[in-house]
Amino acid sequence: MSPELPHRYPQAQIDALYRAIRERRDMRHFLPDAVDPALLERLLQAAHHAPSVGFMQPWRFLRISDRALRQRIHALVDQERIATAEALGQREDEFMRLKVEGILDCGEVLVAALMDRREPHVFGRRTMPQMDLASLACALQNMWLAARAEGLGMGWVSLFDPVALAQLLGMPIGAEPVAVLCLGHVPAFYDKPMLEQQQWATRRALDELVFENHWPDGEGTST
Ligand SMILES: Cc1cc2nc3c(=O)[nH]c(=O)nc-3n(C[C@H](O)[C@H](O)[C@H](O)COP(=O)(O)O)c2cc1C
């Protein structure tokens, strides 16, 4: 018999949480409507309530309200999109047909970055300094789920040269942009990952990715 769970949420709230997890999508198609500032604030609060290594809260958010700056960010992303296509070799044409961002269309663009002067934060990072990045990713996932529940789409864009973007945004040495976030109203949420709809990739079976006690023998697990 399963033990009692006195701290469990009511079933409808649990269902809503799993629904947001299941129905969250990376969005690239947006409507031009503005995002309500109070809603944007709720999403940023959701991000800010994420866990972080040593409670260092390494996330910083830049709201891009200047249209010309948004265009320059888009140009950086497009440059990297072309370089990525070339690096893909055989799949170059297929990649170029994918829509990989909605920067010029969405209601709000934010840049999520890691703060500068992270070196003193060794609690939980001494052997794995990348735990700051993991913390920022937790914040972005919170925001993504909250946005989905609120009916707003979010797209995470990582196709850019971080040095060039840091320079464009006047970031100090040591700070690193990690994501260009497209946020906004959407015509509809994709019912599957867009990369699955476009036959770029498929979701793997979970049991291929969960092991017991030892890494499985054989040629590896990447295919
Ligand atoms: C760290 C990270 C970076 C990503 N960068 C991009 C990107 O540059 N362009 C893009 O179209 N999607 C990007 N994505 C979204 C993924 O393509 C997407 O999450 C994946 O295809 C699964 O789809 P889903 O998020 O709708 O479930 C990124 C996602 C993550 C987590």
Side-chain angles (χ1 to χ4, degrees):
M1 211 164 88
S2 61
E4 289 296 309
L5 293 167
H7 309 296
R8 196 171 191 265
Y9 287 178
Q11 190 59 45
Q13 293 178 12
I14 296 172
D15 291 347
L17 176 62
Y18 282 109
R19 179 180 174 197
I21 291 170
R22 222 176 30 247
E23 296 185 358
R24 179 211 53 78
R25 290 275 74 84
D26 183 81
M27 297 304 298
R28 297 122 202 207
H29 295 88
F30 292 92
L31 299 168
D33 309 66
V35 175
D36 173 19
L39 172 47
L40 181 59
E41 171 68 22
R42 289 200 292 281
L43 299 183
L44 287 165
Q45 286 289 354
H48 189 46
H49 280 77
S52 62
V53 68
F55 203 18
M56 76 181 280
Q57 304 161 72
W59 41 76
R60 300 291 181 269
F61 294 96
L62 284 90
R63 178 173 176 235
I64 308 300
S65 54
D66 177 343
R67 191 75 208 180
L69 185 55
R70 191 195 282 222
Q71 268 165 352
R72 292 181 73 185
I73 293 172
H74 178 262
L76 275 184
V77 167
D78 212 47
Q79 214 177 351
E80 177 52 29
R81 187 174 74 94
I82 291 160
T84 300
E86 282 166 11
L88 279 165
Q90 275 191 342
R91 297 192 84 183
E92 176 174 354
D93 293 344
E94 192 189 345
F95 175 80
M96 284 303 283
R97 283 194 294 275
L98 294 174
K99 183 161 172 60
V100 289
E101 51 80 23
I103 296 171
L104 295 180
D105 315 319
C106 61
E108 281 285 338
V109 171
L110 300 174
V111 173
L114 284 170
M115 70 189 202
D116 58 327
R117 286 179 292 187
R118 302 192 300 285
E119 302 72 22
H121 294 265
V122 290
F123 183 171
R125 294 183 66 234
R126 204 182 62 79
T127 57
M128 291 191 286
Q130 69 273 29
M131 292 303 103
D132 52 13
L133 178 59
S135 306
L136 174 53
C138 289
L140 297 189
Q141 177 72 342
N142 269 10
M143 192 179 216
W144 224 337
L145 292 172
R148 178 62 192 89
E150 297 263 14
L152 213 65
M154 175 170 137
W156 179 330
V157 182
S158 56
L159 294 157
F160 55 82
D161 172 355
V163 175
L165 185 55
Q167 221 164 37
L168 183 62
L169 301 175
M171 291 170 58
I173 291 174
E176 283 176 40
V178 171
V180 174
L181 302 175
C182 301
L183 267 175
H185 298 267
V186 294
F189 282 90
Y190 319 131
D191 58 3
K192 285 185 199 169
M194 213 198 74
L195 295 189
E196 191 167 0
Q197 288 180 339
Q198 304 286 310
Q199 292 164 3
W200 179 264
T202 50
R203 190 180 303 284
R204 297 187 58 177
L206 179 61
D207 62 10
E208 291 174 12
L209 312 178
V210 181
F211 315 137
E212 194 166 339
N213 297 324
H214 298 283
W215 201 271
D217 292 334
E219 68 279 14
T221 67
S222 63
T223 50

